[in-house]
Amino acid sequence: MTVTPIKQKYDIKDISLASVGQQRIDWAAREMPVLRQITERFAQEKPFAGLRLVACCHVTTETANLAIALKAGGADAVLIASNPLSTQDDVAACLVANYGIPVFAIKGEDNDTYHRHVQTALDHKPNIIIDDGCDVVATLVKERKHQLSDIIGTTEETTTGIVRLQAMLKDGVLSFPAINVNDAETKHFFDNRYGTGQSTLDGIIRATNVLLAGKTVVVAGYGWCGKGVAMRSRGLGSNVIVTEINPVRAIEAAMDGFRVMPMSEAASQGDVFVTVTGSMHVIRAEHFEMMKDGAMVCNSGHFDIEIDLKSLGAKATEVKDVRNFTQQYKLKNGKSVVVLGEGRLVNLAAAEGHPSAVMDMSFANQALGCEYLVKNKGQLAPGIYSIPEELDQDIAALKLKAMGISIDSLTDEQINYINSWTTGT
């Protein structure tokens, strides 16, 4: 098979930023011992030798360490941004200059550039795709059907991406295996809850320098990300309201001690609004009208459609930047609504994303998920697969070891007991 090489070697902001990027990548690596051990093994075993890989991820210091691991494993890898505002330009420069990894990502790139980078990634003729939101896979399925036979499989890290993959499977257009990294226990319990919880508030505080103690924070969605944001907001002294469409999650939020109500009621009470649903237009025109003067809205879901910014813009008489990543919309009723990070992921637009210690486990899942696809090439039917439980357990065990924590193991007597139906009280 003839492969058309990528014509452009990279598309980044400034390659002279590489030295700063190296320092920050090295700093992140200190908190990523699990991925470091996987990298060392990959360097010896070369599980991806001869394979082309595309990673569509947030181009951060943590992602850089994943890319380095994949290259150590022999992958011919290309990295593009999964979000126009999440790229750390010095990291992109370092990966190009110091590691020879082609990167196509610029912080603040417009939508046309973003979509061009997706096409550039597909020009690499990937065998494996690491996706974050399913844009590369969706583009492949819609526009590059002739490349489907090249694909061994994909891994997906986000709830949004899994929802899209499930829709593809339902429509009969998913023709290769997809690994659901998002729902691995060592991913969503930690990345979504602790990572999103801390980094979202970090983004809000960096963008606004607002005191969250005493503020009413409205969290839209009580999945693992919503749980994290609600928990961390309460920890900083905020009064937290949760909005939900799922009755089970709504009960859980109430049992966890949060007020639960529809957005139509919460809109007039909130000082800060955070959407983490994976849906669209969670905060809409009618909600903006009800908000307090100066209410702040932001999003930590994957795409920038959770807040209906188009309708907000239509209601505004003036839009102006008041701080970095902070825009004030003056409404016809005289009140103003403040939007953070242009409605994109506020933890990456206005801050640095999840802490490295959390991404250590998430990216360990990504690396081992890719290896699992290669080891099982031709044996997995098209569909969506969970990370094997033994890999999840291995990642957790490696993390505990790195943290200096020991746990119990079952005795032979206990093993016999839990595997028997004849023994009881």
Side-chain angles (χ1 to χ4, degrees):
M1 179 178 63
T2 302
V3 176
T4 303
I6 293 177
K7 296 177 182 178
Q8 190 179 5
K9 292 183 178 180
Y10 56 84
D11 188 15
I12 60 176
K13 181 179 181 180
D14 184 356
I15 201 164
S16 70
L17 299 172
S19 60
V20 177
Q22 185 69 67
Q23 290 180 328
R24 296 181 61 240
I25 290 168
D26 291 344
W27 178 261
R30 292 158 52 105
E31 292 282 302
M32 303 182 79
V34 178
L35 189 61
R36 181 170 62 248
Q37 293 176 70
I38 292 171
T39 303
E40 291 168 355
R41 178 171 67 80
F42 278 4
Q44 293 180 341
E45 299 177 5
K46 302 292 183 184
F48 309 119
L51 296 176
R52 297 179 301 280
L53 186 149
V54 161
C56 179
C57 302
H58 303 293
V59 182
T60 65
T61 55
E62 295 77 23
T63 302
N65 280 288
L66 172 62
I68 292 165
L70 297 168
K71 183 167 184 179
D76 178 3
V78 168
L79 176 62
I80 67 170
S82 62
N83 187 291
L85 285 181
S86 65
T87 296
Q88 295 168 3
D89 291 315
D90 55 346
V91 170
C94 179
L95 288 174
V96 171
N98 296 356
Y99 295 93
I101 298 173
V103 179
F104 298 83
I106 303 168
K107 188 176 180 70
E109 64 189 43
D110 58 28
N111 286 338
D112 288 342
T113 302
Y114 171 76
H115 291 301
R116 186 178 74 248
H117 288 165
V118 171
Q119 295 291 344
T120 299
L122 289 172
D123 287 344
H124 190 51
K125 302 291 193 298
N127 306 119
I128 299 172
I129 296 171
I130 294 177
D131 224 346
D132 193 320
C134 203
D135 272 352
V136 175
V137 169
T139 303
L140 171 74
V141 171
K142 287 187 291 186
E143 302 177 20
R144 302 276 192 119
K145 292 182 174 61
H146 61 283
Q147 290 182 221
L148 291 173
S149 60
D150 294 335
I151 303 296
I152 295 172
T154 183
T155 64
E156 174 56 56
E157 178 150 347
T158 66
T159 302
T160 300
I162 295 302
V163 169
R164 297 178 82 186
L165 285 170
Q166 288 169 340
M168 289 182 195
L169 187 62
K170 181 181 177 182
D171 289 347
V173 297
L174 185 64
S175 61
F176 46 82
I179 302 296
N180 181 355
V181 170
N182 182 71
D183 289 340
E185 289 192 341
T186 45
K187 195 277 182 184
H188 70 251
F189 283 160
F190 302 94
D191 180 317
N192 294 17
R193 177 167 48 174
Y194 300 111
T196 303
Q198 177 171 313
S199 63
T200 296
L201 299 192
D202 185 22
I204 293 169
I205 292 168
R206 291 197 200 194
T208 66
N209 197 31
V210 68
L211 178 67
L212 290 174
K215 295 285 194 301
T216 296
V217 175
V218 178
V219 180
Y222 203 66
W224 285 108
C225 292
K227 290 180 179 71
V229 174
M231 177 171 58
R232 291 292 180 252
S233 297
R234 179 164 59 187
L236 285 175
S238 301
N239 302 303
V240 179
I241 295 172
V242 171
T243 70
E244 251 299 346
I245 60 165
N246 184 311
V248 174
R249 288 179 178 172
I251 292 172
E252 184 181 9
M255 295 295 190
D256 285 344
F258 301 112
R259 288 189 289 162
V260 179
M261 62 186 71
M263 184 62 75
S264 58
E265 295 180 25
S268 62
Q269 300 185 41
D271 299 302
V272 179
F273 295 78
V274 184
T275 57
V276 275
T277 69
S279 187
M280 67 179 295
H281 295 176
V282 180
I283 300 179
R284 304 182 294 276
E286 64 266 28
H287 303 135
F288 297 127
E289 291 282 355
M290 301 168 63
M291 288 180 179
K292 298 177 182 178
D293 183 29
M296 300 177 183
V297 298
C298 65
N299 169 53
S300 255
H302 186 76
F303 291 121
D304 62 344
I305 57 173
E306 299 209 18
I307 301 167
D308 186 1
L309 292 179
K310 186 175 289 187
S311 72
L312 178 60
K315 288 180 173 296
T317 58
E318 179 188 47
V319 181
K320 67 177 181 179
D321 294 334
V322 289
R323 289 172 62 94
N324 289 337
F325 311 112
T326 305
Q327 291 181 310
Q328 178 177 277
Y329 288 69
K330 193 74 173 179
L331 304 184
K332 297 172 184 176
N333 62 13
K335 295 188 291 186
S336 63
V337 173
V338 177
V339 177
L340 310 183
E342 300 177 18
R344 297 192 181 276
L345 287 157
V346 71
N347 56 343
L348 282 153
E352 296 181 57
H354 295 351
S356 305
V358 168
M359 295 310 298
D360 187 28
M361 289 183 285
S362 297
F363 284 157
N365 276 291
Q366 285 282 25
L368 295 183
C370 290
E371 184 182 36
Y372 180 77
L373 285 170
V374 174
K375 286 183 175 179
N376 291 275
K377 179 182 177 182
Q379 300 176 46
L380 299 174
I384 302 171
Y385 296 84
S386 299
I387 286 282
E389 184 179 357
E390 60 269 22
L391 294 184
D392 221 349
Q393 295 286 328
D394 287 346
I395 290 168
L398 289 170
K399 191 67 172 180
L400 284 171
K401 181 181 178 181
M403 297 169 71
I405 298 172
S406 299
I407 61 174
D408 287 322
S409 57
L410 291 171
T411 65
D412 291 341
E413 182 183 30
Q414 290 168 329
I415 292 171
N416 290 333
Y417 175 78
I418 63 175
N419 286 290
S420 171
W421 62 272
T422 61
T423 306
T425 56

